[in-house]
Amino acid sequence: MFWLSFALVSMPFYAASEKTKIHFSEKDIKIDTSTIVIHKLPVDFKKKYTDKEFVYEFKSAQKNAWDRFKEWLASVFNNIFNFTDSKASIHFVEVMLKIIAFLIVIFVIYLITKSILNKEGQWIFGKNSDKKIIDYSDIEKNIHIVDFKKLVQTTIQNGENRLCIRYYYLWVLKSMATKNIIEWDIEKTNSDYLYEINNQELKNSFSYLSYLYNYIWYGEFDLDEATFEKAKFAFEKTLKHIGNE
C-alpha cells in the first residue's frame, strides 16, 4: 500500500521533468576562434627576483676560521675590559685589527723605501759604484760611507788626476776620523784638523798633503804625470801610516 501511494505521488514530478528536459546538438556548441598569443618568459627572468626582498628562506652565515679567531680575541678582551655586550667586544677587536693592519702597511712601505734608498746610496757611494759623475757636496756630507778606494781607481782609469787628488784628500780625512784622530765636520778647515792631530809625524804629513791638495785642486794649471805620481805616493804613504795607528 505504501509503495502504491509513493508511486502515485512521484508520477507528477517525473512527468514534469520529462516535459522540461532540453536536448543539445553539436550545432549548439560554440567554438572559440580567437587567436591565442603565447608569451614566453625571458631566459634571465630569474635575475629580477634575486634581491633580498624575494628571499623567503634565510640561512645563517657559516663562520670561517677568521671569524672564530675574532670571536676568540673578543672573548679574551671581554674578560679583561668587561664590555657591556659581545657586540662591543667584537667591534673593539675589528677596530684594533684594522689599526694593526694599517701599521703593518706603513712599516712595509718604510722598509721598501729604506731598501730603495740604501740601494741607490750604494750605486753612488758603495763598492759596486760604476757612476762617474758624483756631486762633490754629497760626498763630503756622507764621507763615512763613501768608498774612496773605488773612486780613486775610477778617476785614475778615466785620467781625472786632479779629481783623484781630491778623493785622496777626503780619504785621508775619513781615515783619521775613523781612528778618532780628528772629529769630522764639514764646516772645519784644514787648519782645524791640523790642530786636532797630536802625532807630530802625522801632523807634518797632513800639513804637506794639505799643501798638495790646495795646490793641485784649486790651482788653474794642467797636472803633469810626474807631479801626480809624487802626490799619489805621498797620500798612499800617509793612508798606510794612519792604518797602522
Side-chain angles (χ1 to χ4, degrees):
M1 189 68 180
F2 171 76
W3 290 106
L4 179 61
S5 298
F6 178 76
L8 291 174
V9 173
S10 301
M11 285 181 66
F13 292 101
Y14 177 76
S17 63
E18 284 292 328
K19 291 180 180 180
T20 58
K21 186 175 181 181
I22 301 174
H23 296 278
F24 292 97
S25 64
E26 186 177 350
K27 294 180 180 181
D28 296 322
I29 299 174
K30 293 183 179 181
I31 300 174
D32 187 1
T33 58
S34 59
T35 303
I36 299 175
V37 180
I38 300 175
H39 295 279
K40 294 183 178 180
L41 293 174
V43 178
D44 59 344
F45 77 96
K46 292 184 179 180
K47 292 183 179 179
K48 297 181 180 179
Y49 305 98
T50 55
D51 297 337
K52 60 181 181 180
E53 290 82 2
F54 300 98
V55 178
Y56 303 105
E57 295 182 1
F58 296 95
K59 297 181 180 179
S60 58
Q62 295 182 351
K63 296 179 181 179
N64 52 30
W66 177 247
D67 293 329
R68 291 192 294 271
F69 173 72
K70 289 194 296 183
E71 289 182 352
W72 175 77
L73 276 181
S75 64
V76 172
F77 285 109
N78 190 32
N79 293 332
I80 298 174
F81 300 107
N82 294 322
F83 290 103
T84 55
D85 52 29
S86 59
K87 290 183 178 180
S89 60
I90 288 289
H91 178 71
F92 173 81
V93 169
E94 289 178 347
V95 172
M96 182 189 68
L97 291 176
K98 289 179 180 179
I99 294 174
I100 293 175
F102 175 77
L103 294 176
I104 290 175
V105 171
I106 295 298
F107 182 69
V108 170
I109 294 175
Y110 163 76
L111 291 179
I112 293 174
T113 304
K114 183 179 179 182
S115 176
I116 293 174
L117 291 177
N118 286 344
K119 192 172 182 181
E120 289 180 350
Q122 288 182 356
W123 290 343
I124 298 175
F125 303 113
K127 293 183 178 181
N128 296 324
S129 175
D130 293 322
K131 199 167 182 178
K132 179 179 178 181
I133 301 175
I134 303 175
D135 194 303
Y136 300 141
S137 61
D138 287 342
I139 291 179
E140 292 184 359
K141 292 176 183 177
N142 300 277
I143 190 172
H144 291 92
I145 63 174
V146 176
D147 185 357
F148 285 108
K149 184 177 182 180
K150 179 68 175 180
L151 292 178
V152 165
Q153 292 174 350
T154 302
T155 52
I156 292 175
Q157 292 174 359
N158 296 333
E160 299 172 313
N161 294 342
R162 180 178 278 105
L163 181 59
C164 180
I165 294 302
R166 175 173 175 78
Y167 290 154
Y168 264 126
Y169 187 72
L170 293 175
W171 190 1
V172 169
L173 292 177
K174 174 187 176 181
S175 300
M176 290 195 297
T178 302
K179 292 288 186 175
N180 296 319
I181 298 172
I182 63 171
E183 185 176 347
W184 164 256
D185 190 332
I186 194 173
E187 299 297 330
K188 287 184 179 180
T189 64
N190 298 342
S191 299
D192 294 328
Y193 293 127
L194 189 64
Y195 179 78
E196 294 179 21
I197 299 174
N198 294 323
N199 184 290
Q200 189 60 46
E201 182 181 357
L202 182 58
K203 179 177 289 191
N204 294 336
S205 298
F206 182 73
S207 177
Y208 176 63
L209 296 179
S210 298
Y211 162 76
L212 289 177
Y213 169 69
N214 291 328
Y215 176 76
I216 295 172
W217 178 247
Y218 296 106
E220 297 180 0
F221 58 89
D222 294 332
L223 180 62
D224 59 80
E225 195 65 26
T227 304
F228 171 72
E229 289 296 330
K230 181 179 179 181
K232 176 184 173 184
F233 175 79
F235 276 105
E236 291 182 349
K237 180 180 178 181
T238 302
L239 286 169
K240 186 176 181 180
H241 181 196
I242 295 172
N244 294 328
E245 282 287 326

